[in-house]
Each structure stands twice: as structure tokens, then as C-alpha cells.
Amino acid sequence: MTEVTVSPAATVPQLSAVTRVLSELPDLLAFADPESPLYWNRGDRGCVGVGEVLRLSFTGADRFVAASRAWREIAAAASIDDPVGMPGSGLVAFGTFAFADESQAESVLIVPRLLIHRHRGTAWVTEVTVTGGPSGAPAAGVAALAVGPDSGSAPQLASARSAADVLPAQRALDATAWAGVEFRPADASDGPGARGGSAVEAYLDGVREATDRVVAGELEKVVLSRQIAGDLHAGQDLRFPLLRLSERYLDCWTFAVDNLIGASPETLVRSTSGAVSARVLAGTRGRHSEDPTRDRAARDELLRSAKEQHEHDFAVQSVVSALAPHVSELRTSDAPFALQLPNVWHLATDLGAALGAEATALELVDALHPTAAVAGTPTADAVAMIAELEPFDRGRYSGAVGWIDAAGDGEWVIALRCAQVEGVGAPAAEGATAAPARLVVATAGGGIVEGSDPQHELGETVSKFRPITEAFGA
């Protein structure tokens, strides 16, 4: 894949997207790339991408706005044949964006060659090809544009006798071949995503310092995280942890975008046909599924906790304030409710609204990010303290991951309960007889407010790591 830097005078690639209904519901993971899957799924709704025709990368503070502007131009220049007309049909890009403005992690939008989609009892496939021919419109703000290896593929779907004729061969998933990943506290040797380390004691020291500074009045809340890392043996099939996450975390969006893999319970924003919704999570207790009485007690303690309710209020207010200029008829749950996940209880609030002025889903993400749930309050002070106290670059953790269509509608979640897997193709050491292992780095954190206890916060991160450690485990 050749990367080309895009200047303000650059032209927009012209894409053709053709969508057709599939007569049978597909097994999505059977079509995913075992080494680098592109996947988005929740219950009976989801999709899988095959191949890649276009990749756009972004960096810096304006990454969301630049991505939205570039996507608007690409969508306007595209030819779209979409008789399905459902969320996720037609031309769609998937994206994952870094948490911090200064992050070294690349923020990307990816357009797959084929997108196989299932929505309850309906299924369809979209084929995207590059038709060439400059439109003359600038791809403003794009740091780099990479033409994918499938950009030269000839269109097939429009002339196919059956939509199923364009589907690739299915690949069986052999669970017995999965060797698993053993995690350890990440340290500087685990690369730029873990610079300076994330030892348990260092994390506890950070929580103590953050709590002292909250008490001193520097800010009201800050979210601190820590990292663990492990090695994925070459040739391992990443569809296996995705299958585990999809089957276990039914109330979460399970995702794999550019080797960021996880299952997020928190919808940052969903925008479809003028309707906007979000889910705010803040306040956590670990589950005790083996003991129903203890588990109910943990839930009730969460609902009664003044500290957790206080932290949750910060998170809800940050989302309400950010969304308000862009929507009308904004409404929230009457009171926070306890969201039950396999690993934790969360305090949750759902929000709904009508889209006010014309805005893409990515522009709403820009307005919302970072929320108090992943940064703190006040936002600027919290982000500065995170950069000071966390000895690593968060990368895409607690950033945004999701999709956007040609109309600007889309669905974006906060990148939580996730791990970044090193890309395929790292060079083998001289004299090595096997391909090198791929580094897997997972991140989890929690909100620090007045009264936070370091050991409790550590236990919360252990609970939040569970989706990844269990999905990637042997």
C-alpha cells in the first residue's frame, strides 16, 4: 500500500458503492480476515469488512473535524446505488481515533472493498470500487491518503446474478488452534504505547497524587488508567477473541478496526435520520456472578453510593453540555440505572435528542470528546493531569471507534474494554526461524474524585480488564 500526502490542492478519490440484498443471513466472522479483521457487531446487528480500497489518516486537535470534512467531500463525489436504504448500507467508512491531541497513534478512516451486513432478519452486501477521475474538490485536512490493495478491483455486484456470488470463500474458525495471550504489566520495552511503564505501584501512586490534588481543589475529577501487555503468537486467528466477546457481551458493541479489538458498553453518539442518542457510563462495581446475594449487594451499593452518583453526574453533565448546541428536545433517563454486564455493574444514563443543525456523526463526536467519563472535570485540566500522571500514550484507548455513512449518519462508541494489537508484518529477527509475536496492549482506568481509595480503583481496573484477558486467554 502506497501512502500519498494530500495537500490542500489534492483531488478527492471517486468511489462507486453498490448495495444488494442477500437472500440468506451470513455468518459474519466466517468472512473476516483472521489476522486483521474489520468487524462491528451487537446481538443480531453487525457487519464485517473484506479488503480495503481507501484509508485516510489524521492527527492533531482537529482530527475529527478534518475527517468529517474529508468524508463529506468523498461522499459527495461518490456514485451510490443503494436500494436497501438502512443504517449502514451504501458507502460506509470505519474509523478509530486517538484519545489525545498529541498522541503518536494514527487516527484513521477505512473504506472496505466489501461490506457484509446483517440487521436482524435482513442482510446485504456493499461493493466499493475506485472509479478514478478527479472531482477537483480538495480533501482538506487529510494527513495522508493510502490507496488500498483492492482499489483496482473491477466491479462485480451490479452485474452479478445473485449478491451472494461476490462473497469471498468462508474460513472455518478452529478454536483448538488458539494458544492464548498471557498478560503482564506493560513497561517501556513494550513500545511507544507503553512508554515509561504501567506498574501497579506506579498506578497506585498516581491515584494517591490525583486524589490529593482533587482535595486541594485543582479539579473535581480525573480518570487515570494503567496498561497490561502480552504476546500473540504469529498466525493466531483474531476472530476467536472476537467470537468470545460477541457471545458474552451482548449489550456491548464488539469491534475490530485497524487491529483495535474490544467490546464497548458506552455509546458516545448514534445519529440516524435526524435522531441522536448516547449512553453515559460512570460509576462501577465488580460483579460476583458466583454469589447472587453478594452480586445484588454490589449493585445496591453502587446505586446508593454518593461518591459514584457524584462521579456519574459529572459525566452526564459533560455530555449534555456538549450536545446541547447541536440538538433539540434533549432528554435523559429520570435517574441513573444499574447496567448489568458480565464483568461489572455500571451506573448508566441514556440520552436522546433530535438533530438540530446539519452535523455529521463525526462532528458530534468532536463536540463530545473527551467526555468526563474518560477524562475528568474540568476537561482541559483533567487532560493535562492525565498527560502528567500517566506514564504512557493512551493511543486509541478512550478515543472513538465506529462508522459513518455517506449521509453523515453513524454510530460511535468510546474505545473501552479494548486492546491494540500490533500490525501484521513486523520483521523477523536475523536468524529467526518463525515470524515474531505480535504485541497486545490493553488499557483500563477509572475516575478519581474526592474519597477515592487506591486499592478500590486498582480492583476496578482488574474488573475492566476482564473482557480482554478472558477473550484473549487460552
Side-chain angles (χ1 to χ4, degrees):
M1 185 181 295
T2 303
E3 284 200 355
V4 182
T5 300
V6 178
S7 68
T11 56
V12 173
Q14 289 185 302
L15 305 180
S16 172
V18 177
T19 300
R20 294 291 184 267
V21 173
L22 290 168
S23 59
E24 296 183 4
L25 296 179
D27 176 3
L28 295 178
L29 281 176
F31 296 104
D33 183 340
E35 291 190 311
S36 187
L38 180 61
Y39 182 71
W40 183 260
N41 189 77
R42 179 177 179 175
D44 57 2
R45 294 183 291 152
C47 56
V48 61
V50 178
E52 185 175 306
V53 297
L54 189 67
R55 171 183 293 248
L56 300 97
S57 66
F58 311 88
T59 58
D62 66 345
R63 58 197 178 281
F64 298 110
V65 172
S68 177
R69 184 167 55 239
W71 183 247
R72 280 181 183 268
E73 294 170 353
I74 290 169
S79 169
I80 302 172
D81 177 3
D82 177 19
V84 174
M86 293 183 68
S89 64
L91 182 63
V92 173
F94 288 83
T96 174
F97 286 76
F99 167 79
D101 296 348
E102 301 80 13
S103 176
Q104 296 300 304
E106 184 181 46
S107 298
V108 298
L109 286 178
I110 298 169
V111 180
R113 181 180 64 83
L114 288 178
L115 184 61
I116 305 163
H117 209 121
R118 182 191 67 227
H119 187 97
R120 299 191 171 97
T122 304
W124 62 87
V125 58
T126 298
E127 179 187 49
V128 180
T129 54
V130 179
T131 59
S135 67
V142 184
L145 179 153
V147 178
D150 301 299
S151 60
S153 300
Q156 302 176 45
L157 185 56
S159 59
R161 287 182 300 173
S162 167
D165 291 346
V166 305
L167 299 182
Q170 298 188 53
R171 307 187 217 198
L173 179 59
D174 182 8
T176 64
W178 177 255
V181 174
E182 185 174 343
F183 287 94
R184 60 186 180 273
D187 60 32
S189 66
D190 290 316
R195 59 178 173 81
S198 187
V200 170
E201 281 305 320
Y203 171 76
L204 294 173
D205 288 343
V207 172
R208 294 184 188 101
E209 180 174 346
T211 304
D212 290 344
R213 292 167 70 171
V214 168
V215 171
E218 288 189 36
L219 76 178
E220 295 178 273
K221 171 188 172 181
V222 63
V223 178
L224 291 185
S225 60
R226 67 186 185 96
Q227 294 185 325
I228 56 176
D231 297 312
L232 179 71
H233 296 305
Q236 290 288 283
D237 191 334
L238 287 173
R239 296 178 300 165
F240 187 62
L242 284 173
L243 177 63
R244 283 176 164 174
L245 290 169
S246 295
E247 291 181 341
R248 186 163 171 77
Y249 290 86
L250 299 177
D251 288 326
C252 298
W253 280 107
T254 297
F255 59 84
V257 181
D258 205 34
N259 296 314
L260 180 71
I261 292 176
S264 177
E266 188 156 3
T267 303
L268 182 59
V269 67
R270 185 175 193 262
S271 178
T272 55
S273 303
V276 176
S277 60
R279 170 168 284 181
V280 179
L281 305 181
T284 307
R285 285 293 185 274
R287 293 288 311 279
H288 304 283
S289 302
E290 75 291 345
D291 185 341
T293 300
R294 189 181 177 195
D295 195 41
R296 287 193 297 271
R299 177 201 62 193
D300 295 344
E301 179 187 315
L302 175 65
L303 289 168
R304 291 193 303 264
S305 170
K307 170 189 171 295
E308 303 289 0
Q309 292 281 350
H310 189 49
E311 179 184 342
H312 188 80
D313 288 344
F314 284 144
V316 173
Q317 189 54 50
S318 77
V319 172
V320 169
S321 298
L323 272 183
H326 305 279
V327 301
S328 61
E329 304 172 30
L330 181 59
R331 58 199 179 277
T332 69
S333 310
D334 292 336
F337 61 93
L339 176 66
Q340 178 181 328
L341 297 174
N343 59 319
V344 295
W345 292 101
H346 276 308
L347 281 181
T349 293
D350 287 336
L351 295 88
L355 189 62
E358 180 184 347
T360 70
L362 275 171
E363 287 160 1
L364 295 178
V365 170
D366 179 64
L368 288 164
H369 179 81
T371 69
V374 296
T377 306
T379 302
D381 295 335
V383 170
M385 188 175 290
I386 288 168
E388 178 185 349
L389 296 183
E390 287 185 356
F392 51 85
D393 182 344
R394 284 188 179 187
R396 295 161 172 172
Y397 164 75
S398 66
V401 58
W403 60 268
I404 185 168
D405 68 12
D409 287 348
E411 191 159 31
W412 294 82
V413 301
I414 300 177
L416 303 172
R417 319 296 188 264
C418 61
Q420 183 69 55
V421 182
E422 187 177 35
V424 182
E430 185 175 350
T433 58
R438 301 168 66 184
L439 180 67
V440 182
V441 177
T443 313
I448 310 305
V449 296
E450 185 173 352
S452 289
D453 174 70
Q455 288 297 331
H456 172 81
E457 299 301 332
L458 177 65
E460 184 174 314
T461 64
V462 172
S463 294
K464 291 177 176 178
F465 277 129
R466 273 182 55 197
I468 291 299
T469 57
E470 292 177 352
F472 278 84

